[in-house]
Amino acid sequence: MDYKKTNAPTNTVTRDIMDLCDETGNIYESVAIIGKRANQISLDIKNELSKKLQEFASVSDNLDEVFENREQIEISRFYEKLPKPSLIATQEFVEGKIYFRNLLKEKDTIE
């Protein structure tokens, strides 16, 4: 997913707990789902950033080079301005973009 085009807020937003637990029926289950999705998003962003910054990696660490590399600084600033993974995951959950299932509930309905 392209996290750069997300419509998640960059600041914390107060949310109604009852709206979050509508889909699952349990606020704790909803928070667990959002937390797991936030971890996935965080890993994706971290991997993407490290790939982009690896292009600028040099074999020898020269102090002058570190300060002169404006492109690397711009990339880092861009990723710092992105919404936090927990905010992106919460927005995806509210919009219904996260697929989840509870194996225990499915097992009970099958039997």
Side-chain angles (χ1 to χ4, degrees):
M1 178 173 181
D2 193 13
Y3 304 112
K4 299 166 196 140
K5 297 178 182 177
T6 184
N7 59 351
T10 55
N11 294 329
T12 305
V13 176
T14 305
R15 301 203 185 259
D16 186 17
I17 292 176
M18 299 313 289
D19 291 341
L20 288 178
C21 67
D22 280 345
E23 206 166 322
T24 60
N26 186 343
I27 187 64
Y28 301 108
E29 190 175 346
S30 298
V31 170
I33 292 166
I34 292 170
K36 287 180 183 183
R37 179 65 182 141
N39 286 338
Q40 291 173 346
I41 292 170
S42 176
L43 287 174
D44 288 346
I45 291 174
K46 181 181 176 184
N47 290 336
E48 185 178 325
L49 176 61
S50 63
K51 284 180 186 177
K52 288 185 180 185
L53 292 179
Q54 249 180 351
E55 297 173 6
F56 299 105
S58 62
V59 178
S60 63
D61 289 334
N62 188 353
L63 210 53
D64 297 330
E65 253 181 57
V66 174
F67 292 112
E68 291 178 7
N69 201 341
R70 293 279 177 220
E71 296 164 351
Q72 185 177 4
I73 293 170
E74 290 300 319
I75 290 173
S76 296
R77 282 188 182 155
F78 174 77
Y79 278 94
E80 286 175 2
K81 290 180 184 178
L82 284 177
K84 304 290 182 227
S86 57
L87 295 173
I88 296 172
T90 305
Q91 186 67 30
E92 287 179 355
F93 185 80
V94 168
E95 293 175 355
K97 294 181 179 178
I98 298 178
Y99 171 77
F100 61 91
R101 61 185 195 167
N102 188 337
L103 294 177
L104 294 176
K105 288 182 181 177
E106 287 178 12
K107 186 178 179 181
D108 290 341
T109 57
I110 292 173
E111 293 176 350

